Amino acid sequence: MTDLLTIGAFARLARLSPKALRLYDEMNLLPPARVDPDTGYRWYSPDQLDRARQVVQLRRIEMPLPRIRTVLDLPPEAAAAEVRAYWEEQEREWRAKQELAGFFLDRLAGKETPMYDVSVREMPARTLLVASEHLTADRIGAFAAPLFAFFGGPAVPRPEGSAGRPFLRYHGEIGNDSDGLVEFCCPIDPDGGEIAFPEMTLSTDDAGREAYVTVPKANMMTALGAESLHRWLTDRDVQADWKPRQIFLCDPGQAGPDDPVFELAVRLR
């Protein structure tokens, strides 16, 4: 006990509040070295100060607490890679916000914002394997990445060409503070062999026309794709179901800034 610090003393040295320390204990991010079984009072070891300071530093770049816990439990090289990946995400989000602010300011000033070219194509009727979940924007990557990695490969028989690409279908506006239904849809070839994925549902996608734009990696976090489709539909008085489909063309992590990463499509009525 003589080597341990009270929660108040540890909080001052770590530049954290006792309230924050209690929260970090509840999340198993920074549990105390000892808890008095009778009073519940927390005691900390001086050896825990380095971890506490790392928490402080990562919170200053607004890393969420669950992700901080993951980072701090990794070996140094893997932890550095995770922090680097997080910061690249923050830079993409900042560019997206900057793009959106510029778009809004241009609209207020009566300026025209360059839009993506919109194309139209016919899509055949398809059978889909579907996994669905209500998600906030910051959880979509964790939901979709392993599904695209598996279903985008050769393990599942799919139609040829663009008709066989897996996609995400959004059923409402989604943000970091508001969730919405997101479906992962994989077109399958019903004659390609037995498909056994009981955790997913089978669905049909009717034949029809869809309008779409192609979005490069540099703009993948912006709203320009959706705005381009909105503008195209409005200018032509064309109706769409507005359940946008995000059809990935490649792994964004392997793409350059100008490489096309996904198509954003809406089904026309």
Side-chain angles (χ1 to χ4, degrees):
M1 286 289 293
T2 56
D3 293 333
L4 298 182
L5 299 167
T6 66
I7 187 172
F10 187 82
R12 287 191 294 274
L13 290 171
R15 298 181 183 176
L16 287 164
S17 69
K19 181 179 179 180
L21 287 173
R22 286 189 284 270
L23 173 62
Y24 299 165
D25 179 17
E26 292 172 5
M27 297 188 64
N28 201 33
L29 174 60
L30 189 62
R34 182 180 183 278
V35 178
D36 189 292
D38 298 320
T39 65
Y41 200 81
R42 295 168 170 85
W43 299 82
Y44 290 83
S45 166
D47 294 340
Q48 294 178 282
L49 282 170
D50 183 59
R51 184 178 177 95
R53 287 173 181 142
Q54 290 181 62
V55 173
V56 171
Q57 291 164 354
L58 292 173
R59 285 302 287 158
R60 285 178 179 164
I61 61 172
E62 299 183 3
M63 182 177 284
L65 292 175
R67 194 158 182 176
I68 291 177
R69 184 176 58 199
T70 298
V71 168
L72 297 188
D73 290 341
L74 290 172
E77 186 174 341
E82 181 68 17
V83 173
R84 190 176 299 111
Y86 168 77
W87 191 245
E88 288 173 354
E89 292 169 15
Q90 298 310 296
E91 289 181 327
R92 287 196 296 270
E93 287 188 15
W94 172 252
R95 287 194 296 269
K97 291 175 182 177
Q98 187 178 42
E99 182 93 20
L100 185 58
F103 178 83
F104 187 70
L105 290 171
D106 285 348
R107 176 177 289 180
L108 291 176
K111 296 180 181 178
E112 280 292 322
T113 301
M115 295 284 147
Y116 290 125
D117 291 332
V118 177
S119 301
V120 177
R121 63 189 169 201
E122 295 284 345
M123 297 299 290
R126 297 177 290 178
T127 301
L128 303 177
L129 275 174
V130 179
S132 59
E133 196 167 331
H134 279 80
L135 300 168
T136 52
D138 56 341
R139 294 173 54 210
I140 292 173
F143 165 73
L147 292 169
F148 276 109
F150 179 78
F151 287 95
V156 179
R158 294 179 282 118
E160 295 292 330
S162 60
R165 292 196 186 105
F167 59 91
L168 296 178
R169 181 163 54 194
Y170 298 90
H171 288 258
E173 294 296 325
I174 295 173
N176 286 340
D177 299 320
S178 60
D179 66 2
L181 178 62
V182 180
E183 291 179 323
F184 171 85
C185 304
C186 179
I188 60 171
D189 180 357
D191 299 323
E194 184 176 350
I195 305 293
F197 294 96
E199 70 280 8
M200 302 177 76
T201 59
L202 277 174
S203 176
T204 57
D205 192 34
D206 294 335
R209 298 164 67 236
E210 65 182 21
Y212 68 98
V213 296
T214 303
V215 180
K217 180 177 179 177
N219 291 337
M220 65 180 293
M221 299 296 291
T222 74
L224 191 56
E227 290 293 341
S228 297
L229 287 170
H230 269 301
R231 179 77 59 83
W232 187 89
L233 293 168
T234 301
D235 289 347
R236 288 159 181 77
D237 195 24
V238 175
Q239 299 296 312
D241 65 358
W242 204 254
K243 294 177 183 176
R245 300 164 181 230
Q246 190 177 26
I247 307 150
F248 279 89
L249 306 174
C250 67
D251 178 357
Q254 305 299 318
D258 297 324
D259 293 336
V261 171
F262 65 81
E263 295 168 343
L264 190 66
V266 290
R267 185 59 62 92
L268 302 179
R269 292 175 177 168

